[in-house]
Amino acid sequence: MRLLHKEHKDQKLVWILLAVIGPWMVTAQEKQDTILCSSDICDANYPYTENNRTICDHIPATRWPNPEKCNCGTQCVENLPLDHECQKKQNSFPDQLKVCGPGLMCTKISSRNNKCKPYSDKKCVVEYVKYVDDQDSGVLGPGRYQPVCDDLGDYAPRQCSTASSCYCVEKTGGKLFGEGALTEKDGMNCLCSQFWDDSAKLGREAGFRCLSNGNFDELQCIDKQYCFCYDPIKGDVTEGPWGFSMMPMLSCYNESLHGVNYTQPCLEDLEEYENNLENDDDDLTIIAVSNKPICGPDGYYTAVQYAGNKAYCSDSMGNRIEDFIVSLEDAVGMQCACARRRFLMEQGGLGSSKPKCHPQRGDFCRVQKRGLLAYCVDGSGNQLGNTVSIDDIPDLECAAVSGTMDC
């Protein structure tokens, strides 16, 4: 990261916050002059050329900071395909302009031969290879989803179920907060959701504000003192920082999303709830606790909410979804994942193929049907095992298992 002039006091606080994002996110602001580096140095000595390009769309490649003085610009490191020859040891950067692509590693085949091969010990890669094999064999079920792996063979932040919704996951595949309709796939990256998860595992506060789909909010404010527009993909502060009172003047401000106080719906209701609780009689405290809003790290309502002696499935704004409501004693383990997906699919214009949920709990029914076919699903609604005719549902392994996913 470049060093800032001491007189840039307003921007110092912003850059301190940006520094905690981690090494996986670029944090340099190219146009900001510094003690050691400046835009003039980059423009004069390292102009953007064909070998110093920032767009890699024409080749399968990964963009990395340019290994030149001040990290001016970026280099496109070409991704080698499966079974392509590669170098295991590379001593200089020019040799690294071609490396094995996502999910592949340079593997020793013989004493003089190395080739790009899949990560054999990564769960995501194993599932992906299985998916491709079943697809080639013509036995791919209608509810199977294609896992997306990152460069190291771990699960990419965003995964998408077949013809339904996309959701955020951790590197091992566990589900995180953040979900959106399949029609919103291209605008969903889950970077904020994964950032919160990484921060929690390191025992630190994440600090950044997320959207309900797991993306970073483009508008970020610090303790209601400074606000700025932020591009998490490029790692740039694109506008600001300005004082909090000037927040509505920022181009990334959205009144319906940010309001006048930069509050999120669940956190705002939680604050009101806690203020009212302080004024209530002690005898009413136990009753009131059951109505406490349950907020996710993104500041929106979690899928399961409570009212009196009932639990219900909620959208991100706290509204009940359909008639998914159950008594507290029957709500143990309730996730409402199916109810949320039905809601998002309806919002995204995919309502005709909505999954079947438990009528009260809102969880996925253990057996799902697609036309004349049936199959088992996991808690995220993704197919498990083989596909059978609806006449052969009793032959499915999950059909003989009793539990909360029975419908």
Side-chain angles (χ1 to χ4, degrees):
M1 180 180 292
R2 302 174 182 177
L3 301 177
L4 300 178
H5 283 308
K6 293 181 180 179
E7 62 264 31
H8 294 287
K9 293 181 181 179
D10 286 351
Q11 294 198 352
K12 183 177 180 181
L13 185 58
V14 175
W15 288 107
I16 290 175
L17 181 59
L18 293 178
V20 304
I21 297 179
W24 53 271
M25 184 174 290
V26 180
T27 56
Q29 185 181 14
E30 291 185 2
K31 295 183 179 180
Q32 174 62 52
D33 290 345
T34 66
I35 296 174
L36 298 180
C37 300
S38 72
S39 58
D40 292 337
I41 291 178
C42 290
D43 293 340
N45 298 289
Y46 306 102
Y48 291 96
T49 65
E50 180 63 19
N51 293 323
N52 183 21
R53 52 191 179 272
T54 58
I55 300 177
C56 312
D57 293 343
H58 60 293
I59 57 172
T62 303
R63 191 181 63 156
W64 292 92
N66 195 333
E68 299 286 357
K69 190 180 299 181
C70 296
N71 291 128
C72 299
T74 56
Q75 287 276 8
C76 291
V77 180
E78 183 176 350
N79 294 332
L80 299 175
L82 179 68
D83 290 330
H84 196 284
E85 291 188 357
C86 56
Q87 292 179 288
K88 285 185 68 68
K89 293 184 179 180
Q90 299 155 328
N91 298 320
S92 61
F93 186 84
D95 294 332
Q96 298 181 26
L97 291 180
K98 294 183 179 181
V99 298
C100 294
L104 303 176
M105 64 181 299
C106 194
T107 304
K108 184 176 181 179
I109 304 300
S110 65
S111 59
R112 296 183 178 181
N113 190 14
N114 302 309
K115 290 188 176 182
C116 295
K117 294 291 184 181
Y119 286 95
S120 58
D121 59 341
K122 296 285 189 174
K123 180 182 176 183
C124 184
V125 175
V126 172
E127 287 189 1
Y128 176 78
V129 172
K130 172 66 173 172
Y131 178 93
V132 173
D133 288 345
D134 288 350
Q135 186 178 50
D136 292 341
S137 302
V139 296
L140 195 65
R144 285 279 296 279
Y145 90 106
Q146 179 178 339
V148 180
C149 310
D150 64 15
D151 293 0
L152 299 178
D154 296 316
Y155 287 91
R158 184 202 67 203
Q159 302 291 320
C160 296
S161 293
T162 304
S164 55
S165 69
C166 297
Y167 52 91
C168 304
V169 301
E170 57 184 356
K171 294 179 180 179
T172 58
K175 197 170 182 180
L176 301 173
F177 74 86
E179 189 171 7
L182 186 64
T183 51
E184 301 174 1
K185 172 183 176 181
D186 293 339
M188 184 175 170
N189 56 50
C190 293
L191 291 179
C192 194
S193 178
Q194 192 173 76
F195 174 60
W196 271 84
D197 181 59
D198 290 341
S199 298
K201 290 175 180 176
L202 294 173
R204 68 189 184 193
E205 292 288 338
F208 273 76
R209 170 169 163 146
C210 305
L211 301 177
S212 59
N213 65 356
N215 289 3
F216 281 98
D217 193 334
E218 291 184 5
L219 175 63
Q220 298 289 333
C221 294
I222 305 173
D223 297 330
K224 293 189 177 182
Q225 297 182 34
Y226 298 91
C227 296
F228 55 94
C229 296
Y230 178 64
D231 184 340
I233 305 299
K234 296 181 180 179
D236 289 342
V237 174
T238 58
E239 189 176 353
W242 294 351
F244 183 76
S245 62
M246 299 176 67
M247 176 183 66
M249 299 177 64
L250 289 166
S251 60
C252 56
Y253 172 76
N254 184 322
E255 183 177 2
S256 62
L257 182 63
H258 303 120
V260 295
N261 295 315
Y262 193 68
T263 55
Q264 291 148 304
C266 186
L267 293 179
E268 184 175 2
D269 291 345
L270 178 61
E271 182 179 0
E272 181 180 357
Y273 159 85
E274 291 175 341
N275 290 336
N276 291 335
L277 194 62
E278 292 178 359
N279 299 324
D280 285 341
D281 295 333
D282 293 340
D283 294 340
L284 299 177
T285 299
I286 296 178
I287 298 176
V289 168
S290 63
N291 296 321
K292 180 180 180 180
I294 309 300
C295 307
D298 55 356
Y300 290 85
Y301 283 86
T302 59
V304 181
Q305 296 294 321
Y306 302 92
N309 62 349
K310 301 287 186 180
Y312 64 94
C313 297
S314 164
D315 64 20
S316 62
M317 302 300 291
N319 303 307
R320 194 176 83 187
I321 300 174
E322 299 181 36
D323 293 322
F324 298 114
I325 186 168
V326 68
S327 62
L328 290 179
E329 56 267 26
D330 294 327
V332 178
M334 179 176 172
Q335 297 180 345
C336 292
C338 183
R340 270 282 177 98
R341 181 162 297 174
R342 285 176 63 90
F343 173 78
L344 290 171
M345 291 178 69
E346 188 71 36
Q347 295 290 102
L350 301 173
S352 60
S353 58
K354 290 185 292 187
K356 184 178 180 182
C357 310
H358 187 282
Q360 286 84 43
R361 296 171 57 87
D363 297 326
F364 284 97
C365 290
R366 196 179 299 276
V367 177
Q368 294 288 325
K369 300 176 184 177
R370 188 76 62 87
L372 299 177
L373 301 176
Y375 50 90
C376 300
V377 298
D378 59 17
S380 295
N382 296 318
Q383 181 173 348
L384 294 174
N386 299 325
T387 306
V388 301
S389 166
I390 57 176
D391 295 330
D392 297 324
I393 288 179
D395 295 337
L396 288 172
E397 183 177 351
C398 63
V401 179
S402 61
T404 56
M405 292 173 69
D406 295 337
C407 297

Short mmCIF file of all heavy atoms in Angstrom, two decimals, residues 264-291:
data_model
loop_
_atom_site.label_atom_id
_atom_site.label_comp_id
_atom_site.label_asym_id
_atom_site.label_seq_id
_atom_site.Cartn_x
_atom_site.Cartn_y
_atom_site.Cartn_z
N GLN A 264 -29.67 -0.19 8.62
CA GLN A 264 -30.20 -1.36 7.94
C GLN A 264 -31.48 -1.80 8.64
O GLN A 264 -31.64 -1.60 9.85
CB GLN A 264 -29.14 -2.46 7.93
CG GLN A 264 -27.96 -2.11 7.03
CD GLN A 264 -26.65 -2.69 7.53
OE1 GLN A 264 -26.25 -2.44 8.66
NE2 GLN A 264 -25.97 -3.47 6.69
N PRO A 265 -32.41 -2.40 7.90
CA PRO A 265 -33.77 -2.63 8.42
C PRO A 265 -33.82 -3.39 9.74
O PRO A 265 -34.51 -2.96 10.67
CB PRO A 265 -34.46 -3.41 7.29
CG PRO A 265 -33.36 -3.94 6.45
CD PRO A 265 -32.26 -2.93 6.54
N CYS A 266 -33.11 -4.50 9.85
CA CYS A 266 -33.19 -5.29 11.07
C CYS A 266 -32.49 -4.60 12.24
O CYS A 266 -33.01 -4.58 13.36
CB CYS A 266 -32.57 -6.68 10.84
SG CYS A 266 -32.79 -7.82 12.24
N LEU A 267 -31.33 -4.02 11.97
CA LEU A 267 -30.60 -3.33 13.04
C LEU A 267 -31.38 -2.13 13.56
O LEU A 267 -31.35 -1.82 14.75
CB LEU A 267 -29.23 -2.89 12.53
CG LEU A 267 -28.24 -4.02 12.21
CD1 LEU A 267 -26.93 -3.44 11.70
CD2 LEU A 267 -28.00 -4.90 13.42
N GLU A 268 -32.09 -1.46 12.66
CA GLU A 268 -32.91 -0.32 13.08
C GLU A 268 -34.05 -0.79 13.98
O GLU A 268 -34.32 -0.18 15.03
CB GLU A 268 -33.46 0.39 11.85
CG GLU A 268 -34.25 1.66 12.16
CD GLU A 268 -34.66 2.40 10.91
OE1 GLU A 268 -34.37 1.91 9.80
OE2 GLU A 268 -35.28 3.47 11.05
N ASP A 269 -34.71 -1.89 13.60
CA ASP A 269 -35.79 -2.43 14.43
C ASP A 269 -35.26 -3.00 15.74
O ASP A 269 -35.92 -2.93 16.77
CB ASP A 269 -36.55 -3.51 13.66
CG ASP A 269 -37.35 -2.93 12.49
OD1 ASP A 269 -37.54 -1.70 12.46
OD2 ASP A 269 -37.76 -3.72 11.62
N LEU A 270 -34.05 -3.56 15.70
CA LEU A 270 -33.45 -4.11 16.92
C LEU A 270 -33.15 -3.00 17.91
O LEU A 270 -33.37 -3.15 19.13
CB LEU A 270 -32.17 -4.87 16.57
CG LEU A 270 -31.39 -5.47 17.75
CD1 LEU A 270 -32.25 -6.48 18.49
CD2 LEU A 270 -30.09 -6.11 17.26
N GLU A 271 -32.67 -1.88 17.41
CA GLU A 271 -32.39 -0.74 18.29
C GLU A 271 -33.69 -0.23 18.93
O GLU A 271 -33.72 0.07 20.14
CB GLU A 271 -31.71 0.37 17.50
CG GLU A 271 -31.35 1.59 18.33
CD GLU A 271 -30.65 2.66 17.52
OE1 GLU A 271 -30.45 2.46 16.30
OE2 GLU A 271 -30.31 3.72 18.10
N GLU A 272 -34.74 -0.15 18.15
CA GLU A 272 -36.03 0.28 18.68
C GLU A 272 -36.55 -0.71 19.72
O GLU A 272 -37.08 -0.32 20.77
CB GLU A 272 -37.04 0.42 17.55
CG GLU A 272 -38.42 0.90 18.00
CD GLU A 272 -39.39 1.04 16.85
OE1 GLU A 272 -38.97 0.82 15.69
OE2 GLU A 272 -40.58 1.35 17.10
N TYR A 273 -36.38 -2.00 19.44
CA TYR A 273 -36.81 -3.04 20.37
C TYR A 273 -36.08 -2.91 21.70
O TYR A 273 -36.68 -2.98 22.78
CB TYR A 273 -36.55 -4.42 19.75
CG TYR A 273 -36.49 -5.55 20.74
CD1 TYR A 273 -37.64 -6.20 21.18
CD2 TYR A 273 -35.26 -5.98 21.24
CE1 TYR A 273 -37.57 -7.23 22.10
CE2 TYR A 273 -35.18 -7.00 22.15
CZ TYR A 273 -36.34 -7.63 22.58
OH TYR A 273 -36.26 -8.63 23.50
N GLU A 274 -34.76 -2.72 21.65
CA GLU A 274 -33.97 -2.63 22.88
C GLU A 274 -34.33 -1.38 23.68
O GLU A 274 -34.34 -1.40 24.91
CB GLU A 274 -32.49 -2.67 22.54
CG GLU A 274 -32.04 -4.03 22.02
CD GLU A 274 -30.59 -4.04 21.56
OE1 GLU A 274 -30.04 -2.93 21.32
OE2 GLU A 274 -30.01 -5.13 21.44
N ASN A 275 -34.63 -0.28 22.99
CA ASN A 275 -35.04 0.94 23.68
C ASN A 275 -36.38 0.74 24.38
O ASN A 275 -36.57 1.19 25.52
CB ASN A 275 -35.13 2.10 22.70
CG ASN A 275 -33.78 2.55 22.19
OD1 ASN A 275 -32.76 2.33 22.85
ND2 ASN A 275 -33.75 3.16 21.02
N ASN A 276 -37.30 0.06 23.71
CA ASN A 276 -38.60 -0.20 24.31
C ASN A 276 -38.48 -1.17 25.48
O ASN A 276 -39.20 -1.06 26.49
CB ASN A 276 -39.56 -0.78 23.27
CG ASN A 276 -39.95 0.25 22.21
OD1 ASN A 276 -39.90 1.45 22.47
ND2 ASN A 276 -40.35 -0.23 21.04
N LEU A 277 -37.56 -2.12 25.37
CA LEU A 277 -37.38 -3.12 26.41
C LEU A 277 -36.91 -2.48 27.70
O LEU A 277 -37.29 -2.88 28.80
CB LEU A 277 -36.39 -4.19 25.95
CG LEU A 277 -36.35 -5.48 26.77
CD1 LEU A 277 -37.69 -6.20 26.73
CD2 LEU A 277 -35.24 -6.40 26.26
N GLU A 278 -36.07 -1.45 27.59
CA GLU A 278 -35.57 -0.76 28.78
C GLU A 278 -36.68 -0.05 29.53
O GLU A 278 -36.60 0.14 30.74
CB GLU A 278 -34.50 0.26 28.36
CG GLU A 278 -33.22 -0.38 27.84
CD GLU A 278 -32.21 0.66 27.41
OE1 GLU A 278 -32.54 1.86 27.50
OE2 GLU A 278 -31.10 0.27 27.00
N ASN A 279 -37.75 0.31 28.80
CA ASN A 279 -38.86 1.03 29.42
C ASN A 279 -39.98 0.10 29.88
O ASN A 279 -40.93 0.55 30.52
CB ASN A 279 -39.43 2.06 28.44
CG ASN A 279 -38.39 3.09 28.04
OD1 ASN A 279 -37.56 3.49 28.85
ND2 ASN A 279 -38.43 3.52 26.78
N ASP A 280 -39.90 -1.19 29.53
CA ASP A 280 -40.94 -2.14 29.91
C ASP A 280 -40.79 -2.58 31.35
O ASP A 280 -39.71 -2.52 31.95
CB ASP A 280 -40.89 -3.38 29.00
CG ASP A 280 -41.46 -3.09 27.63
OD1 ASP A 280 -42.19 -2.09 27.50
OD2 ASP A 280 -41.14 -3.85 26.69
N ASP A 281 -41.88 -3.08 31.92
CA ASP A 281 -41.84 -3.65 33.26
C ASP A 281 -41.06 -4.96 33.22
O ASP A 281 -41.05 -5.67 32.21
CB ASP A 281 -43.25 -3.92 33.77
CG ASP A 281 -44.03 -2.63 33.96
OD1 ASP A 281 -43.39 -1.58 34.18
OD2 ASP A 281 -45.28 -2.67 33.84
N ASP A 282 -40.42 -5.31 34.32
CA ASP A 282 -39.65 -6.55 34.39
C ASP A 282 -40.52 -7.77 34.09
O ASP A 282 -40.06 -8.76 33.53
CB ASP A 282 -39.02 -6.71 35.78
CG ASP A 282 -37.95 -5.66 36.02
OD1 ASP A 282 -37.44 -5.10 35.03
OD2 ASP A 282 -37.62 -5.40 37.20
N ASP A 283 -41.80 -7.72 34.48
CA ASP A 283 -42.68 -8.87 34.27
C ASP A 283 -42.94 -9.13 32.79
O ASP A 283 -43.34 -10.24 32.41
CB ASP A 283 -44.02 -8.65 34.98
CG ASP A 283 -43.86 -8.60 36.49
OD1 ASP A 283 -42.84 -9.11 36.99
OD2 ASP A 283 -44.75 -8.04 37.16
N LEU A 284 -42.74 -8.11 31.96
CA LEU A 284 -43.01 -8.26 30.54
C LEU A 284 -41.77 -8.63 29.75
O LEU A 284 -41.85 -8.90 28.55
CB LEU A 284 -43.60 -6.96 29.98
CG LEU A 284 -44.92 -6.51 30.60
CD1 LEU A 284 -45.33 -5.18 29.98
CD2 LEU A 284 -46.02 -7.55 30.39
N THR A 285 -40.60 -8.65 30.40
CA THR A 285 -39.34 -8.86 29.69
C THR A 285 -39.30 -10.20 29.00
O THR A 285 -38.90 -10.32 27.84
CB THR A 285 -38.16 -8.74 30.66
OG1 THR A 285 -38.15 -7.43 31.24
CG2 THR A 285 -36.84 -8.99 29.92
N ILE A 286 -39.71 -11.28 29.67
CA ILE A 286 -39.64 -12.62 29.10
C ILE A 286 -40.50 -12.72 27.85
O ILE A 286 -40.11 -13.31 26.85
CB ILE A 286 -40.07 -13.67 30.15
CG1 ILE A 286 -39.09 -13.67 31.31
CG2 ILE A 286 -40.14 -15.05 29.51
CD1 ILE A 286 -39.46 -14.63 32.42
N ILE A 287 -41.68 -12.12 27.91
CA ILE A 287 -42.56 -12.14 26.74
C ILE A 287 -41.95 -11.37 25.60
O ILE A 287 -41.99 -11.80 24.44
CB ILE A 287 -43.94 -11.55 27.11
CG1 ILE A 287 -44.60 -12.40 28.20
CG2 ILE A 287 -44.83 -11.46 25.89
CD1 ILE A 287 -45.91 -11.85 28.69
N ALA A 288 -41.33 -10.24 25.90
CA ALA A 288 -40.79 -9.38 24.85
C ALA A 288 -39.59 -10.01 24.16
O ALA A 288 -39.37 -9.78 22.97
CB ALA A 288 -40.40 -8.02 25.44
N VAL A 289 -38.80 -10.80 24.90
CA VAL A 289 -37.60 -11.39 24.32
C VAL A 289 -37.93 -12.24 23.10
O VAL A 289 -37.19 -12.30 22.13
CB VAL A 289 -36.85 -12.22 25.38
CG1 VAL A 289 -35.77 -13.09 24.73
CG2 VAL A 289 -36.22 -11.30 26.41
N SER A 290 -39.09 -12.92 23.13
CA SER A 290 -39.46 -13.80 22.02
C SER A 290 -39.77 -13.02 20.73
O SER A 290 -39.85 -13.61 19.67
CB SER A 290 -40.66 -14.66 22.40
OG SER A 290 -41.79 -13.85 22.65
N ASN A 291 -39.94 -11.70 20.84
CA ASN A 291 -40.21 -10.87 19.66
C ASN A 291 -38.97 -10.13 19.19
O ASN A 291 -39.06 -9.27 18.31
CB ASN A 291 -41.31 -9.86 19.98
CG ASN A 291 -42.63 -10.53 20.30
OD1 ASN A 291 -42.99 -11.52 19.68
ND2 ASN A 291 -43.35 -9.98 21.27
#
